[in-house]
Amino acid sequence: MKSSILLRPTIRAKPCSMNRDDPAQRQPWTILRTLQWTARYFTEKGIDQPRPAAEILLAHVLSCQRIDLYLHHDQPLSQHELDRFRGLIQRRVNREPVAYIVGSREFWSLTFEVNPDVLIPRPETERLVELVLAQFGAQTRLDVLDLGTGSGVISIALSVERPDWCIRAMDVSPGALAVARKNARNNSRGDHIRFFAGDWFAPLSRQKARFDLIVSNPPYIPSADIPALEPEVMQYEPLHALDGGPQGADDLAPLIRNSPAYLKRGGHLFLEIGYDQGPAVAALAKASGAYREILIHKDYGQRDRVVQLVKA
């Protein structure tokens, strides 16, 4: 899609209240000047990654790529564009996440729509996808279950890389399932993943379905830690997808305990976990007596991130 920057003639922006370093208000608000001012303003307000945030928001207003901002850095903004951009700046200063403001986030080099019904995908979750793909290589077919799919990033990323896998994805939230289904369609996987509603294994309790692989990024943050989360998380993201109970294991423990009943012999369970939960999760798995292998994988920050369990 062509940028709106490239489709209209150069115009001179009207004076704007954003102008705090130019009392005479004579300089046009070019793309570069607008980015510089916004990055300083975000820094003053304690906003994380101020320059990237400014770039993403301005590119969203101008319907262009971030690189276009620098290819056309001297392009003045119209008053309408400045007004729209000011609104987005205020939302970010109010600590609304950039991903919710623009309505999308990249994961696994794919674009996913997001809204407050789903968690914003984190780079750490890509580690789980990497480990699954490395474990199973290019096997032509696996039966896969994604529990608590949220925006669908794990299922869709796996389906893109392994189109022959048969993937089912579950979430208890109707809003999350709507987002996941839309993301699957947007990434050409709508006919490859079966989505269904339910509370963990409840919809499968009367079925004989068995899976080669179960994956999940469940809630795992201890309840007492929730109030200390960044405002972007605490105020905007769905807490039911974050709060793992007093020890952070209210969902992890049942998943570890109940998954063997739905795994084939030698089947794998991959769970994302908290950075300090490796020993506790390994103890839960060992106590179940259902797994022949218990592996704790670290993320690229050398923190516990994924547990891999193999059914005996």
Side-chain angles (χ1 to χ4, degrees):
M1 178 181 296
K2 292 185 179 180
S3 163
S4 60
I5 300 174
L6 306 179
L7 297 179
R8 57 182 174 78
T10 299
I11 60 175
R12 189 175 184 84
K14 296 179 181 179
C16 170
S17 60
M18 290 170 62
N19 194 334
R20 21 188 283 168
D21 58 346
D22 179 22
Q25 295 188 350
R26 294 171 182 168
Q27 298 179 32
W29 282 98
T30 62
I31 288 173
L32 181 58
R33 182 166 177 248
T34 301
L35 287 175
Q36 291 170 337
W37 183 93
T38 305
R40 290 197 302 270
Y41 184 64
F42 281 164
T43 300
E44 293 171 4
K45 297 297 182 179
I47 299 300
D48 187 41
Q49 297 185 311
R51 184 63 175 239
E55 293 174 358
I56 293 169
L57 294 178
L58 187 55
H60 179 68
V61 167
L62 299 178
S63 300
C64 70
Q65 302 297 315
R66 286 169 69 181
I67 186 63
D68 292 325
L69 301 177
Y70 293 95
L71 294 174
H72 305 276
H73 62 90
D74 58 349
Q75 169 70 54
L77 304 182
S78 71
Q79 189 62 49
H80 174 69
E81 290 164 343
L82 285 170
D83 290 342
R84 282 194 62 205
F85 188 54
R86 273 199 299 265
L88 301 192
I89 289 173
Q90 188 57 55
R91 290 171 65 181
R92 185 68 191 101
V93 169
N94 289 339
R95 306 304 288 268
E96 185 175 352
V98 170
Y100 287 159
I101 295 174
V102 303
S104 66
R105 181 66 171 261
E106 185 176 284
F107 180 91
W108 203 255
S109 299
L110 303 169
T111 299
F112 291 87
E113 292 194 16
V114 293
N115 64 34
D117 285 321
V118 298
L119 292 178
I120 297 169
R122 268 69 168 179
E124 292 83 359
T125 305
E126 292 190 347
R127 180 68 175 137
L128 186 153
V129 175
E130 288 177 350
L131 290 165
V132 168
L133 295 175
Q135 175 65 44
F136 293 100
Q139 287 182 238
T140 57
R141 178 183 169 84
L142 288 180
D143 291 310
V144 181
L145 176 63
D146 177 12
L147 293 172
T149 192
S151 60
V153 294
I154 295 175
S155 289
I156 294 167
L158 291 176
S159 184
V160 166
E161 297 294 337
R162 302 289 187 266
D164 292 327
W165 288 6
C166 179
I167 301 177
R168 301 188 207 181
M170 177 282 303
D171 204 287
V172 72
S173 164
L177 282 175
V179 173
R181 288 190 176 103
K182 187 172 185 180
N183 281 326
R185 292 193 299 270
N186 291 346
N187 286 285
S188 302
R189 309 317 296 163
D191 296 331
H192 298 263
I193 303 171
R194 289 181 54 193
F195 294 96
F196 63 97
D199 187 5
W200 300 123
F201 292 105
L204 301 173
S205 60
R206 297 185 180 180
Q207 300 182 25
K208 296 182 179 180
R210 295 294 181 271
F211 299 91
D212 300 288
L213 169 66
I214 296 175
V215 296
S216 184
N217 178 15
Y220 55 73
I221 299 176
S223 300
D225 293 347
I226 296 291
L229 296 175
E230 294 181 343
E232 286 84 349
V233 179
M234 176 64 183
Q235 296 175 15
Y236 291 94
E237 298 200 62
L239 292 182
H240 71 269
L242 296 164
D243 192 340
Q247 305 302 318
D250 279 10
D251 295 293
L252 284 168
L255 284 171
I256 291 170
R257 183 173 61 250
N258 295 327
S259 288
Y262 299 91
L263 284 169
K264 300 175 184 178
R265 184 183 298 272
H268 288 66
L269 171 64
F270 282 81
L271 300 173
E272 182 171 330
I273 61 174
Y275 70 94
D276 59 351
Q277 292 178 324
V281 168
L284 287 170
K286 185 175 181 180
S288 75
Y291 300 99
R292 72 178 191 223
E293 289 185 51
I294 301 171
L295 303 172
I296 305 296
H297 299 281
K298 296 187 181 296
D299 59 24
Y300 291 111
Q302 296 305 305
R303 297 164 296 189
D304 293 345
R305 186 56 60 192
V306 177
V307 58
Q308 175 184 0
L309 307 175
V310 184
K311 181 181 174 180

